[in-house]
Amino acid sequence: MPGFEFFGKEEIKEVNDVLETGILMRYGFDGPRKGIWKAKELEDAICQTFGCQHAQLVSSGTAALTTAMGALGIGYGDEVILPSFTFVASFEAVISVGAVPVFVDVDDTLTLDPQAVRNAITPKTKCIMPVHMCGSMADMDALQAICEENSLVLLEDACQSIGGTYKGKKLGTIGDAGTFSFDFVKTITCAEGGVVMTNREDVYIASDGYSDHGHDHKGADRGADLHPFIGYNFRISELHAAVGLAQIKKLDNFLAIQKKNHSVLKEALTSIPEVSFRRIPDESGDSCTFLSWFLPTEEVTHAVVAELKAQNILAGNFYWFVNNWHYVSKWDHLKQATTLNGLHPDLKAAVMHHATKDFSASDAIMSRCISTAIGLTWTDEQLKTKGEQLVAVIKKVLREQKVSV
Ligand SMILES: *Cc1c(COP(=O)(O)O)cnc(C)c1O
């Protein structure tokens, strides 16, 4: 799954290029940097690889979401619809720009249920933010149609699905803007980093300034730049970009390995009729970082997780339903609006409203779902063993619980 599994001499070479000039910043110092522009080079490679017009690198995936929201004009008084199953960064970004996160149910795609999105639209809704969780995609045709009908902005959090596609288009390049994370456990890594991708020039120009103190990058030097609006510092460093530049060249290889290992593991689980799989709106576009599968009931799922743990083979199998990070049921800090700085009272009330909101439709999905992370370095033998072990555990539990579906 993560690119760090293949860290090697290519990354070291790119980083050394930067260390030899000593220019660790992505802007300026045109003479001393001797033609080394790793961040610019990586942005070009991202546009080429993913087929988007513009890419703005930043310091993290969270910074990318925050920058995209700033660039799309999302802030006070706006509601952003996002799924109940996501990484906390998605809502951190919404709250940080002063907008209201509105969580809605996921369906068996593990992403936004389009009908739940429709039901959540109010006059304040400004943006729909699908999160392409665990390597695979949301139903983009349905969500795009909703955005068009209601004049809403579409922002894709594609941080977990680098290289995935939907009907031939790369995830993250379909909406008004999309983001990747290059943190240490993502499909390709910069150690820390992220990117805003867009086909809208206005969004790109705004992202470029927003992530660098509002600099317009038009002056003869930084001191001569103008500041058309207030920005922040979400810059990536040349060292981080250098790592990413080596990694992006390995992406096709990572994806090919993931696809192969994913299909072998899926084949093994298919032998159990009680196991079903995540619905994938465009099966051929799955980046295959995870295999996500369902058991018939919550009780059986708990028992399978307990048995995996007892046999010491739980690692790499994620039961998000009880995980503190990824599912709404455990986000107590969100539901209590526990922030260090004060929030606008309207925002605070709207955030706290989630403490009593009904997520039973999401619970019915997430309580039965396990995602198995797909390794890049597994040998054929290890892969075979993993499949056999999983199948044996599931069959044992089903036998013990005498489940029939
Ligand atoms: C990792 C991740 C992020 C945030 O990325 P960071 O680079 O860790 O800040 C945002 N959204 C999702 C879905 C993620 O998985």
Side-chain angles (χ1 to χ4, degrees):
M1 182 183 89
F4 77 72
E5 292 179 88
F6 276 80
F7 188 91
K9 58 182 186 325
E10 301 82 5
E11 285 77 4
I12 293 169
K13 189 240 162 224
E14 297 289 346
V15 172
N16 273 335
D17 286 349
V18 177
L19 291 175
E20 274 163 23
T21 66
I23 305 304
L24 312 185
M25 185 174 178
R26 67 158 301 177
Y27 296 113
F29 303 92
D30 295 22
R33 70 190 313 133
K34 301 192 177 107
I36 306 281
W37 300 89
K38 296 298 181 190
K40 276 194 210 293
E41 220 184 304
L42 180 53
E43 285 167 348
D44 288 346
I46 288 168
C47 290
Q48 287 270 321
T49 306
F50 301 102
C52 56
Q53 296 288 315
H54 308 284
Q56 177 66 43
L57 280 169
V58 289
S59 53
S60 72
T62 312
L65 287 169
T66 309
T67 298
M69 275 185 247
L72 292 164
I74 298 164
Y76 172 69
D78 297 328
E79 293 178 355
V80 177
I81 296 177
L82 71 172
S84 60
F85 173 49
T86 183
F87 181 57
V88 289
S90 312
F91 68 74
E92 289 167 1
V94 178
I95 292 172
S96 76
V97 298
V100 174
V102 176
F103 294 91
V104 307
D105 282 317
V106 294
D107 59 20
D108 58 351
T109 65
L110 306 185
T111 64
L112 284 175
D113 172 357
Q115 191 53 49
V117 171
R118 277 186 194 281
N119 297 344
I121 291 175
T122 74
K124 291 183 174 171
T125 307
K126 169 101 180 201
C127 172
I128 297 178
M129 183 166 126
V131 184
H132 303 301
M133 282 299 274
C134 306
S136 174
M137 82 285 318
D139 182 346
M140 291 304 286
D141 279 350
L143 296 174
Q144 260 184 319
I146 296 171
C147 285
E148 275 160 30
E149 280 165 40
N150 297 277
S151 304
L152 303 176
V153 162
L154 184 59
L155 169 58
E156 300 174 75
D157 179 343
C159 288
Q160 290 199 6
S161 27
I162 300 172
T165 59
Y166 176 76
K167 300 192 175 172
K169 288 186 183 158
K170 295 281 201 277
L171 301 179
T173 69
I174 300 165
D176 293 274
T179 62
F180 289 152
S181 161
F182 302 126
D183 80 22
F184 197 54
V185 295
K186 294 306 202 282
T187 308
I188 53 178
T189 185
C190 291
E192 299 287 356
V195 69
V196 179
M197 293 172 292
T198 183
N199 295 314
R200 281 177 51 179
E201 193 177 15
D202 60 327
V203 174
Y204 166 65
I205 291 171
S207 299
D208 177 58
Y210 192 85
S211 57
D212 185 25
H213 304 294
H215 278 277
D216 69 356
H217 299 134
K218 287 180 181 160
D221 58 46
R222 284 177 72 74
D225 282 348
L226 298 178
H227 303 89
F229 52 82
I230 295 175
Y232 301 91
N233 178 4
F234 296 131
R235 290 189 306 260
I236 194 164
S237 82
E238 284 287 279
L239 292 171
H240 291 88
V243 176
L245 198 52
Q247 288 263 304
I248 200 170
K249 293 172 188 162
K250 302 179 177 183
L251 178 62
D252 283 346
N253 185 32
F254 295 169
L255 293 171
I257 297 170
Q258 281 174 185
K259 275 192 195 211
K260 175 187 143 275
N261 290 353
H262 182 278
S263 82
V264 172
L265 205 59
K266 185 167 181 185
E267 179 81 31
L269 292 195
T270 303
S271 65
I272 308 174
E274 289 86 350
V275 169
S276 57
F277 297 93
R278 168 187 194 171
R279 181 164 60 85
I280 297 180
D282 176 3
E283 197 89 38
S284 66
D286 189 352
S287 75
C288 296
T289 51
F290 286 90
L291 175 66
S292 296
W293 43 284
F294 300 108
L295 288 155
T297 65
E298 178 176 347
E299 291 66 37
V300 171
T301 314
H302 276 287
V304 164
V305 170
E307 184 63 27
L308 289 170
K309 198 168 180 184
Q311 295 193 16
N312 209 16
I313 49 174
L314 183 61
N317 295 288
F318 295 89
Y319 187 28
W320 310 110
F321 188 57
V322 299
N323 174 298
N324 285 339
W325 264 12
H326 292 83
Y327 186 56
V328 69
S329 64
K330 297 281 181 171
W331 294 333
D332 291 337
H333 66 320
L334 171 85
K335 290 184 262 185
Q336 291 160 14
T338 312
T339 53
L340 297 180
N341 52 333
L343 295 183
H344 188 288
D346 295 350
L347 173 55
K348 188 161 182 162
V351 168
M352 292 178 79
H353 167 65
H354 290 99
T356 53
K357 201 165 164 177
D358 175 24
F359 288 106
S360 52
S362 302
D363 289 346
I365 302 284
M366 298 310 299
S367 64
R368 299 184 297 108
C369 177
I370 295 175
S371 298
T372 304
I374 303 296
L376 293 176
T377 54
W378 293 344
T379 62
D380 288 348
E381 196 53 40
Q382 283 171 325
L383 178 56
K384 188 158 165 274
T385 306
K386 280 199 191 282
E388 286 167 358
Q389 285 175 333
L390 271 180
V391 167
V393 165
I394 298 164
K395 284 191 171 160
K396 176 170 187 271
V397 170
L398 289 172
R399 216 166 34 240
E400 283 167 4
Q401 305 230 345
K402 296 199 177 49
V403 172
S404 55
V405 279

